[in-house]
Amino acid sequence: MNLQNLSTGKKPTRIQREKTGKILDAALDVFSRFGFRGATLDQIADQAGLSKPNLLYYYNSKEDLHNELLAQLMDKWLEPLEKIDPIGSPIDEICSYVCRKLELARDFPRESRLFANEIIQGAPRIADSLTGPLKTLVDEKAALISAWAKAGRIADVDPYHLIFSIWSTTQHYADFDTQIRSVMEDNYASRFEGAENYLSHMFRSTLAI
Amino acid sequence: MNLQNLSTGKKPTRIQREKTGKILDAALDVFSRFGFRGATLDQIADQAGLSKPNLLYYYNSKEDLHNELLAQLMDKWLEPLEKIDPIGSPIDEICSYVCRKLELARDFPRESRLFANEIIQGAPRIADSLTGPLKTLVDEKAALISAWAKAGRIADVDPYHLIFSIWSTTQHYADFDTQIRSVMEDNYASRFEGAENYLSHMFRSTLAI
DNA sequence: GTCAAATCTGACCAAATAGTCAAATAAAAT
DNA sequence: ATTTTATTTGACTATTTGGTCAGATTTGAC
């Protein structure tokens, strides 16, 4: 964003709050469906109900807009992992983490797909976040899980691959939703209920001593 | 493809075999990295070592080329699931399936990403394959797994969610490779070895009675 | 109501893009 | 060697795309 009043430290106006909200929502929709290069500013502007120059009044470039979305996303995406509590019961903590990730996939599928698109395409715009905050947090929680394993409180599994399996199985319900709808058909409506049951069983079995 | 000799039933020429091979390889590279709309014919032609009009001599349109890749892919992608043998030992059969999928992710990451891109973006070009051959095969194998569960030979898990968890955990190593490299760093080189160990443990635990 | 700041628009530009085509060149068949 | 067929190219078109800009319009503080 590059608005005069903001860059001089003033508060955003009512219109700025309304319009940037609509823009970000439309951008999330379009970027998450087509990826960065496949999305067009015309489409985003259309969906947000503005003209393209008006959109560019709020965000100076396509890349600016995309970066804003990714920046907002990263925090929300790391939060569930942060919440794993060293004090709690290991298996419950990890299963709660699975549930939180599954809720994210259910409630924020567009965000999940935006992230997936970015990673699949080589993460050119969030490489720093991956090697920085993400890696730091994962290393920390992996150490915790290893400690639990060493103390004999959960099975001795590789914590990194455990985390990958949690990420992949939960995000799958957002990112591959189209495929799931095609395959499940009848039971599609209850997919998240079914997923919670299945994943709960799977990770409890995996971690049981 | 729309070449005169082929459409009159003749054999492909040496040049046709060579050039279409190079084109498909380049197209796989570019489509898998940028998605359909993000990929450009110029980039594909460049990478294949031809001029764009020359590329369009072999494939009449961008969509033709993309469809050809998807068509070739679908068979290879379903094969591991087809191989699950009703006669074999249930847990071994399913674990072998996991291994085969993991090998696909390791040996054909571009194909995996092409597929992922297509699904994430709503599968507009393979919707028929999903509701047709894919669903048919999944239904068949899900019934087999249910039968095994009912016979008490594996744990009573939902076969669809089991299959989803196999797809997601294995493909993750191809589709999210960038993220895995960022997070694992030191152990990145042995990621598939580690994945095989971890996933073998996870699915054996999940299915154990 | 006035005025400055904020918001919006239409017309515009340069680059990129999918696709065409007539004509030139290379291969293969005779 | 000739002729037919396959292959390649450069020059081209129409459209889409990200982005600019001067000026018009609206908003909000006073």
Side-chain angles (χ1 to χ4, degrees):
Chain A
M1 250 192 289
N2 182 25
L3 300 166
Q4 292 179 11
N5 60 333
L6 293 185
S7 57
T8 58
K10 292 180 187 166
K11 284 183 182 177
T13 68
R14 170 185 57 87
I15 292 177
Q16 279 166 10
R17 263 178 286 119
E18 288 173 9
K19 294 292 166 76
T20 54
K22 285 185 182 178
I23 291 170
L24 288 174
D25 187 72
L28 178 58
D29 232 70
V30 176
F31 279 128
S32 72
R33 274 192 305 176
F34 301 110
F36 181 75
R37 283 180 57 172
T40 75
L41 290 182
D42 291 281
Q43 207 178 342
I44 296 171
D46 258 22
Q47 202 165 316
L50 305 84
S51 65
K52 184 167 56 172
N54 198 3
L55 187 161
L56 285 161
Y57 168 72
Y58 290 99
Y59 294 93
N60 292 320
S61 71
K62 188 182 181 182
E63 205 159 325
D64 263 25
L65 181 52
H66 193 252
N67 285 342
E68 177 66 25
L69 283 174
L70 289 177
Q72 288 191 14
L73 179 55
M74 200 42 95
D75 291 336
K76 182 187 289 189
W77 231 235
L78 292 184
E79 210 187 284
L81 183 54
E82 269 162 7
K83 281 191 183 160
I84 292 185
D85 186 355
I87 306 299
S89 149
I91 289 188
D92 287 344
E93 285 298 321
I94 291 170
C95 282
S96 300
Y97 174 51
V98 172
C99 282
R100 288 195 294 273
K101 283 291 287 179
L102 196 57
E103 281 161 17
L104 276 194
R106 184 193 40 181
D107 298 336
F108 304 97
R110 297 181 306 173
E111 283 83 348
S112 185
R113 281 194 285 267
L114 178 75
F115 192 76
N117 262 310
E118 181 66 12
I119 302 284
I120 290 181
Q121 305 190 359
R125 279 165 281 273
I126 53 165
D128 290 349
S129 297
L130 296 187
T131 53
L134 176 67
K135 179 169 169 41
T136 304
L137 180 62
V138 171
D139 283 344
E140 177 197 324
K141 297 304 181 183
L144 171 62
I145 293 169
S146 280
W148 282 338
K150 234 170 207 145
R153 304 181 67 190
I154 58 171
D156 185 26
V157 300
D158 182 303
Y160 291 93
H161 291 286
L162 169 65
I163 289 172
F164 294 156
S165 71
I166 294 172
W167 288 350
S168 60
T169 49
T170 54
Q171 289 169 7
H172 190 78
Y173 290 92
D175 302 343
F176 288 72
D177 178 67
T178 303
Q179 192 181 30
I180 287 170
R181 183 161 53 234
S182 299
V183 170
M184 289 192 76
E185 255 178 20
D186 328 317
N187 301 323
Y188 174 70
S190 63
R191 65 200 182 284
F192 281 105
E193 212 183 322
E196 197 183 329
N197 284 335
Y198 171 78
L199 292 179
S200 170
H201 166 75
M202 180 169 81
F203 286 110
R204 281 182 193 282
S205 311
T206 300
L207 297 172
I209 287 290
Chain B
M1 251 193 290
N2 182 25
L3 300 166
Q4 292 179 12
N5 60 333
L6 292 185
S7 58
T8 58
K10 292 181 187 166
K11 285 184 183 177
T13 67
R14 170 185 56 86
I15 291 176
Q16 280 166 9
R17 263 178 287 118
E18 288 173 7
K19 294 292 165 77
T20 55
K22 284 185 184 180
I23 291 171
L24 289 174
D25 187 71
L28 177 58
D29 232 70
V30 176
F31 279 128
S32 71
R33 274 192 303 174
F34 301 109
F36 180 76
R37 282 179 57 173
T40 75
L41 290 182
D42 290 282
Q43 208 178 343
I44 297 170
D46 258 22
Q47 201 165 317
L50 306 86
S51 65
K52 183 167 58 174
N54 198 2
L55 186 162
L56 285 161
Y57 168 73
Y58 290 98
Y59 295 92
N60 292 320
S61 71
K62 189 182 180 181
E63 204 159 325
D64 263 24
L65 181 51
H66 193 252
N67 285 342
E68 177 68 24
L69 282 175
L70 288 176
Q72 288 191 14
L73 179 54
M74 202 42 97
D75 292 335
K76 183 187 289 190
W77 232 235
L78 292 183
E79 210 188 284
L81 183 55
E82 269 162 6
K83 281 190 183 161
I84 291 185
D85 186 355
I87 306 300
S89 148
I91 291 189
D92 286 345
E93 285 298 322
I94 291 170
C95 283
S96 299
Y97 174 51
V98 172
C99 282
R100 288 195 294 273
K101 283 291 287 178
L102 196 57
E103 279 160 18
L104 277 194
R106 184 192 49 192
D107 298 337
F108 304 97
R110 297 180 305 173
E111 283 84 348
S112 185
R113 282 194 286 267
L114 180 75
F115 192 77
N117 263 310
E118 181 67 11
I119 302 284
I120 290 180
Q121 306 190 358
R125 281 164 281 272
I126 54 165
D128 290 348
S129 299
L130 295 187
T131 54
L134 176 67
K135 179 168 167 45
T136 305
L137 180 61
V138 171
D139 283 345
E140 178 197 324
K141 297 303 181 183
L144 171 61
I145 293 170
S146 280
W148 281 338
K150 235 171 206 141
R153 304 181 67 190
I154 58 171
D156 185 26
V157 299
D158 182 303
Y160 290 94
H161 290 285
L162 169 65
I163 290 172
F164 294 156
S165 71
I166 294 172
W167 287 350
S168 60
T169 49
T170 54
Q171 289 169 8
H172 190 78
Y173 290 92
D175 302 343
F176 288 72
D177 178 66
T178 303
Q179 192 181 30
I180 287 170
R181 184 162 50 234
S182 299
V183 170
M184 291 193 74
E185 255 178 19
D186 327 318
N187 301 323
Y188 175 70
S190 64
R191 66 199 182 283
F192 281 105
E193 211 183 322
E196 197 183 329
N197 285 333
Y198 171 78
L199 293 178
S200 170
H201 166 76
M202 181 170 82
F203 287 110
R204 280 183 192 280
S205 312
T206 300
L207 297 171
I209 288 290

